Amino acid sequence: MESNGASLTPEQARAALADTDRVRISATALTATPWPTWFFLTLTLYTAALPVILGGIMADRDWLLPRPAWMATLLAITALYAALFSVAAKAWRERTGVALRMDVLPKRATLPLMIGLPLLLVGGPYAFHATGRPAWLIAAALLGAAVSVGFHLTFVRLHRRTA
């Protein structure tokens, strides 16, 4: 490889490779940076509300609200969440030049999230439906919020370690 008509020395080649590696590590750190705080709070509230709303939908009879009101609430918060997700992703892309990506995060952190969180968010409403005890919904909502906070803190720590 030539640069300005002259060959690179082995030291220059190693330095260029090291610079390339630093850029790759920096880009990985940027994509692993946690959500903006406002979106982290939105995500946590959505995660906490979902078991209660699903419990209302799955209840044998009207529970606190009529079933159509629960359905409307689910549709409204899901649409709001999707819109805010879009805004957060666009703002992140504009600020960093890098798209939000989950594939750069360690599988040991994301795999339990992808398996466990849906089970938690749907399991609480099913347990409520089977027993009629709203404590299942409250527990699922609190655990879902705790998982959201825990993963946010994990991503913060990951970003600090790689930055």
Side-chain angles (χ1 to χ4, degrees), residues 93-147:
R93 224 178 6 263
E94 288 173 357
R95 191 178 77 182
T96 65
V98 180
L100 289 168
R101 295 175 40 200
M102 290 290 282
D103 63 330
V104 297
L105 299 171
K107 297 291 183 258
R108 69 181 185 281
T110 56
L111 194 58
L113 175 69
M114 289 181 196
I115 294 170
L117 191 59
L119 290 174
L120 173 69
L121 297 179
V122 175
Y126 272 109
F128 168 69
H129 179 70
T131 65
R133 301 179 133 209
W136 288 106
L137 300 176
I138 295 167
L142 291 174
L143 285 171
V147 167

Coordinates of all heavy atoms in Angstrom, one line a residue, residues 93-147:
R93 N -29.3 9.0 16.0 CA -28.6 8.9 14.7 C -28.0 10.3 14.4 O -26.9 10.4 13.9 CB -29.5 8.4 13.7 CG -29.0 7.4 12.7 CD -29.9 6.9 11.7 NE -31.3 7.5 11.6 CZ -32.4 7.0 12.1 NH1 -32.3 5.9 12.9 NH2 -33.5 7.6 12.0
E94 N -28.8 11.4 14.6 CA -28.3 12.7 14.2 C -27.2 13.2 15.1 O -26.3 13.8 14.7 CB -29.5 13.7 14.3 CG -30.5 13.5 13.2 CD -31.7 14.4 13.4 OE1 -31.9 15.1 14.4 OE2 -32.6 14.4 12.5
R95 N -27.3 12.8 16.4 CA -26.3 13.2 17.4 C -25.0 12.5 17.2 O -23.9 13.0 17.3 CB -26.8 13.1 18.8 CG -25.9 13.7 19.8 CD -26.4 13.6 21.2 NE -26.1 12.2 21.6 CZ -26.5 11.7 22.8 NH1 -27.2 12.4 23.6 NH2 -26.2 10.5 23.1
T96 N -25.0 11.2 16.9 CA -23.8 10.3 16.9 C -23.4 9.9 15.5 O -22.3 9.5 15.3 CB -24.0 9.1 17.7 OG1 -25.0 8.3 17.1 CG2 -24.4 9.4 19.2
G97 N -24.3 9.9 14.5 CA -24.0 9.4 13.2 C -24.1 7.9 13.1 O -23.7 7.3 12.1
V98 N -24.6 7.3 14.2 CA -24.6 5.8 14.3 C -26.0 5.4 14.6 O -26.6 6.0 15.5 CB -23.6 5.3 15.4 CG1 -23.7 3.8 15.4 CG2 -22.2 5.8 15.1
A99 N -26.5 4.4 14.0 CA -27.9 3.9 14.3 C -27.8 3.1 15.6 O -26.8 2.5 15.9 CB -28.4 3.0 13.1
L100 N -29.0 3.1 16.3 CA -29.1 2.3 17.5 C -29.1 0.9 17.1 O -29.8 0.4 16.2 CB -30.4 2.7 18.2 CG -30.5 4.0 18.9 CD1 -31.9 4.3 19.3 CD2 -29.5 4.0 20.1
R101 N -28.3 0.1 17.8 CA -28.2 -1.3 17.5 C -28.1 -2.2 18.7 O -27.4 -1.8 19.7 CB -26.9 -1.6 16.6 CG -27.0 -0.9 15.3 CD -25.7 -1.0 14.5 NE -25.1 -2.4 14.6 CZ -23.8 -2.6 14.4 NH1 -23.0 -1.6 14.0 NH2 -23.3 -3.8 14.5
M102 N -28.8 -3.3 18.7 CA -28.7 -4.2 19.8 C -27.6 -5.3 19.6 O -27.2 -6.0 20.5 CB -30.0 -4.9 20.1 CG -31.1 -4.0 20.6 SD -30.8 -3.5 22.3 CE -31.3 -5.0 23.2
D103 N -27.2 -5.5 18.3 CA -26.4 -6.6 18.0 C -24.9 -6.4 18.5 O -24.1 -7.4 18.5 CB -26.4 -6.9 16.5 CG -25.8 -5.7 15.7 OD1 -26.0 -4.6 16.1 OD2 -25.3 -6.0 14.6
V104 N -24.6 -5.2 18.9 CA -23.2 -5.0 19.4 C -23.1 -5.3 20.9 O -22.0 -5.3 21.5 CB -22.7 -3.6 19.1 CG1 -22.6 -3.3 17.6 CG2 -23.6 -2.5 19.8
L105 N -24.3 -5.5 21.5 CA -24.3 -5.7 23.0 C -24.0 -7.2 23.2 O -24.3 -8.1 22.4 CB -25.6 -5.3 23.5 CG -26.0 -3.9 23.4 CD1 -27.4 -3.6 23.8 CD2 -25.0 -3.0 24.2
P106 N -23.4 -7.5 24.4 CA -23.1 -8.9 24.7 C -24.4 -9.8 24.7 O -25.4 -9.4 25.3 CB -22.4 -8.9 26.0 CG -22.3 -7.5 26.4 CD -23.1 -6.6 25.4
K107 N -24.3 -11.0 24.1 CA -25.4 -11.9 24.1 C -25.8 -12.4 25.5 O -26.9 -12.6 25.8 CB -25.1 -13.1 23.2 CG -24.9 -12.8 21.8 CD -26.1 -12.3 21.1 CE -25.9 -12.1 19.6 NZ -25.8 -10.7 19.3
R108 N -24.8 -12.4 26.4 CA -25.1 -12.9 27.8 C -26.0 -11.9 28.5 O -26.7 -12.2 29.5 CB -23.8 -13.1 28.5 CG -23.1 -11.8 28.9 CD -21.8 -12.2 29.6 NE -21.1 -11.0 30.0 CZ -20.4 -10.2 29.3 NH1 -20.2 -10.5 28.0 NH2 -19.8 -9.1 29.7
A109 N -26.1 -10.6 28.0 CA -27.0 -9.6 28.5 C -28.3 -9.6 27.8 O -29.4 -9.4 28.4 CB -26.3 -8.3 28.6
T110 N -28.3 -9.6 26.5 CA -29.5 -9.4 25.7 C -30.4 -10.7 25.6 O -31.6 -10.6 25.5 CB -29.2 -8.9 24.3 OG1 -28.3 -9.8 23.6 CG2 -28.6 -7.6 24.3
L111 N -29.8 -11.9 25.6 CA -30.5 -13.1 25.4 C -31.5 -13.3 26.6 O -32.7 -13.6 26.4 CB -29.6 -14.3 25.2 CG -30.3 -15.6 24.8 CD1 -31.0 -15.4 23.4 CD2 -29.2 -16.7 24.6
P112 N -31.0 -13.2 27.9 CA -32.0 -13.3 29.0 C -33.1 -12.2 28.9 O -34.2 -12.5 29.2 CB -31.1 -13.1 30.2 CG -29.8 -13.4 29.8 CD -29.7 -13.0 28.4
L113 N -32.8 -11.0 28.4 CA -33.8 -10.0 28.3 C -34.8 -10.4 27.2 O -36.0 -10.2 27.5 CB -33.1 -8.7 27.9 CG -34.1 -7.5 27.6 CD1 -34.7 -7.1 28.9 CD2 -33.3 -6.4 26.9
M114 N -34.4 -10.9 26.1 CA -35.3 -11.3 25.0 C -36.2 -12.5 25.4 O -37.3 -12.6 24.8 CB -34.5 -11.6 23.7 CG -33.9 -10.3 23.1 SD -33.0 -10.8 21.6 CE -32.0 -9.4 21.3
I115 N -35.7 -13.3 26.2 CA -36.5 -14.5 26.7 C -37.3 -14.2 27.9 O -38.5 -14.4 28.0 CB -35.6 -15.7 26.9 CG1 -34.9 -16.1 25.6 CG2 -36.3 -16.8 27.5 CD1 -33.8 -17.2 25.7
G116 N -36.6 -13.6 28.9 CA -37.3 -13.4 30.2 C -38.3 -12.3 30.3 O -39.3 -12.5 31.0
L117 N -38.0 -11.2 29.7 CA -39.0 -10.1 29.8 C -40.3 -10.4 29.2 O -41.3 -10.1 29.9 CB -38.4 -8.8 29.2 CG -39.1 -7.5 29.6 CD1 -39.2 -7.3 31.1 CD2 -38.4 -6.3 28.9
P118 N -40.4 -10.9 28.0 CA -41.8 -11.3 27.5 C -42.5 -12.3 28.4 O -43.7 -12.2 28.7 CB -41.5 -11.9 26.1 CG -40.2 -11.3 25.7 CD -39.4 -11.1 27.0
L119 N -41.7 -13.3 28.9 CA -42.4 -14.2 29.9 C -42.9 -13.5 31.1 O -44.0 -13.9 31.6 CB -41.4 -15.3 30.3 CG -41.0 -16.3 29.2 CD1 -39.9 -17.2 29.6 CD2 -42.2 -17.1 28.7
L120 N -42.1 -12.6 31.6 CA -42.5 -11.9 32.8 C -43.8 -11.0 32.5 O -44.7 -11.0 33.3 CB -41.4 -11.0 33.3 CG -41.7 -10.0 34.4 CD1 -41.9 -10.8 35.7 CD2 -40.5 -9.1 34.6
L121 N -43.7 -10.3 31.4 CA -44.8 -9.3 31.1 C -46.1 -10.0 30.8 O -47.2 -9.5 31.0 CB -44.4 -8.4 30.0 CG -43.2 -7.5 30.3 CD1 -42.9 -6.7 29.1 CD2 -43.5 -6.6 31.5
V122 N -46.0 -11.2 30.2 CA -47.2 -12.0 29.9 C -47.6 -13.0 31.0 O -48.8 -13.3 31.2 CB -47.1 -12.7 28.5 CG1 -48.3 -13.6 28.2 CG2 -46.9 -11.7 27.4
G123 N -46.6 -13.5 31.7 CA -46.9 -14.4 32.8 C -47.7 -13.9 33.9 O -48.6 -14.6 34.4
G124 N -47.4 -12.6 34.3 CA -48.2 -12.0 35.3 C -49.7 -11.9 35.0 O -50.5 -12.3 35.8
P125 N -50.0 -11.4 33.8 CA -51.5 -11.4 33.5 C -52.1 -12.8 33.4 O -53.2 -13.0 33.8 CB -51.5 -10.8 32.1 CG -50.3 -9.9 32.1 CD -49.2 -10.6 32.9
Y126 N -51.3 -13.8 32.9 CA -51.9 -15.2 32.9 C -52.1 -15.7 34.3 O -53.1 -16.3 34.6 CB -51.0 -16.1 32.1 CG -51.3 -16.2 30.7 CD1 -50.4 -15.6 29.8 CD2 -52.5 -16.8 30.2 CE1 -50.7 -15.7 28.4 CE2 -52.8 -16.8 28.9 CZ -51.9 -16.3 28.0 OH -52.2 -16.3 26.6
A127 N -51.2 -15.4 35.2 CA -51.4 -15.8 36.6 C -52.5 -15.1 37.2 O -53.3 -15.6 38.0 CB -50.1 -15.5 37.4
F128 N -52.7 -13.8 36.9 CA -53.9 -13.0 37.4 C -55.2 -13.6 36.9 O -56.1 -13.8 37.6 CB -53.7 -11.6 36.9 CG -55.0 -10.8 37.1 CD1 -55.5 -10.4 38.4 CD2 -55.7 -10.3 36.0 CE1 -56.6 -9.7 38.5 CE2 -56.9 -9.6 36.2 CZ -57.3 -9.3 37.4
H129 N -55.2 -14.0 35.6 CA -56.4 -14.6 35.0 C -56.7 -15.9 35.7 O -57.9 -16.2 35.9 CB -56.1 -14.8 33.5 CG -57.3 -15.5 32.8 ND1 -58.5 -14.8 32.5 CD2 -57.4 -16.7 32.3 CE1 -59.3 -15.6 31.9 NE2 -58.7 -16.8 31.7
A130 N -55.7 -16.7 36.0 CA -55.9 -18.0 36.7 C -56.4 -17.9 38.1 O -57.2 -18.7 38.6 CB -54.7 -18.9 36.6
T131 N -55.8 -16.9 38.8 CA -56.1 -16.8 40.3 C -57.0 -15.7 40.7 O -57.6 -15.7 41.7 CB -54.7 -16.6 41.0 OG1 -54.2 -15.3 40.7 CG2 -53.8 -17.7 40.8
G132 N -57.1 -14.6 39.8 CA -57.9 -13.5 40.1 C -57.2 -12.5 41.1 O -57.8 -11.6 41.6
R133 N -56.0 -12.8 41.4 CA -55.2 -11.9 42.4 C -54.4 -10.9 41.7 O -53.5 -11.2 40.9 CB -54.3 -12.8 43.2 CG -55.1 -13.9 44.0 CD -54.1 -14.7 44.8 NE -54.7 -14.8 46.1 CZ -54.0 -15.0 47.2 NH1 -52.7 -15.1 47.1 NH2 -54.6 -15.0 48.4
P134 N -54.7 -9.6 41.9 CA -54.0 -8.5 41.2 C -52.5 -8.4 41.7 O -51.7 -7.7 41.0 CB -54.7 -7.3 41.5 CG -55.8 -7.6 42.5 CD -55.8 -9.1 42.7
A135 N -52.1 -9.1 42.7 CA -50.8 -9.1 43.2 C -49.8 -9.6 42.1 O -48.7 -9.1 42.0 CB -50.6 -9.9 44.5
W136 N -50.3 -10.5 41.3 CA -49.5 -11.0 40.1 C -49.1 -9.8 39.2 O -48.0 -9.8 38.7 CB -50.2 -12.1 39.4 CG -50.2 -13.4 40.2 CD1 -51.3 -13.9 40.8 CD2 -49.1 -14.3 40.4 NE1 -50.9 -15.1 41.4 CE2 -49.6 -15.3 41.2 CE3 -47.8 -14.3 40.1 CZ2 -48.8 -16.4 41.6 CZ3 -47.0 -15.3 40.5 CH2 -47.5 -16.4 41.2
L137 N -50.1 -9.0 38.9 CA -49.9 -7.9 38.0 C -48.9 -6.9 38.6 O -48.1 -6.3 37.9 CB -51.2 -7.2 37.7 CG -52.3 -8.1 37.0 CD1 -53.6 -7.3 36.8 CD2 -51.8 -8.6 35.7
I138 N -49.1 -6.6 39.9 CA -48.2 -5.6 40.6 C -46.8 -6.2 40.6 O -45.9 -5.4 40.3 CB -48.8 -5.3 42.0 CG1 -50.1 -4.6 41.9 CG2 -47.8 -4.5 42.8 CD1 -50.9 -4.6 43.2
A139 N -46.7 -7.4 40.9 CA -45.3 -8.0 40.9 C -44.7 -8.0 39.5 O -43.5 -7.6 39.4 CB -45.4 -9.5 41.4
A140 N -45.4 -8.3 38.5 CA -44.9 -8.3 37.1 C -44.5 -6.9 36.7 O -43.5 -6.7 36.1 CB -45.9 -8.9 36.1
A141 N -45.3 -5.9 37.1 CA -45.0 -4.5 36.7 C -43.8 -4.1 37.4 O -42.9 -3.4 36.8 CB -46.2 -3.6 37.1
L142 N -43.7 -4.4 38.7 CA -42.5 -3.9 39.5 C -41.2 -4.7 39.0 O -40.2 -4.0 38.8 CB -42.7 -4.2 41.0 CG -43.7 -3.3 41.6 CD1 -43.9 -3.7 43.1 CD2 -43.3 -1.8 41.6
L143 N -41.3 -5.9 38.7 CA -40.2 -6.7 38.2 C -39.8 -6.2 36.8 O -38.6 -6.1 36.5 CB -40.4 -8.2 38.2 CG -40.4 -8.9 39.5 CD1 -40.9 -10.3 39.4 CD2 -39.0 -8.8 40.1
G144 N -40.8 -5.9 36.0 CA -40.5 -5.4 34.6 C -39.8 -4.0 34.7 O -38.8 -3.8 34.0
A145 N -40.2 -3.2 35.6 CA -39.5 -1.9 35.8 C -38.1 -2.1 36.3 O -37.2 -1.4 35.8 CB -40.3 -1.0 36.7
A146 N -38.0 -3.0 37.2 CA -36.6 -3.3 37.8 C -35.7 -3.8 36.7 O -34.5 -3.5 36.6 CB -36.7 -4.3 38.9
V147 N -36.2 -4.7 35.8 CA -35.4 -5.2 34.7 C -35.0 -4.1 33.8 O -33.9 -4.0 33.3 CB -36.2 -6.3 33.9 CG1 -35.5 -6.7 32.6 CG2 -36.3 -7.6 34.8

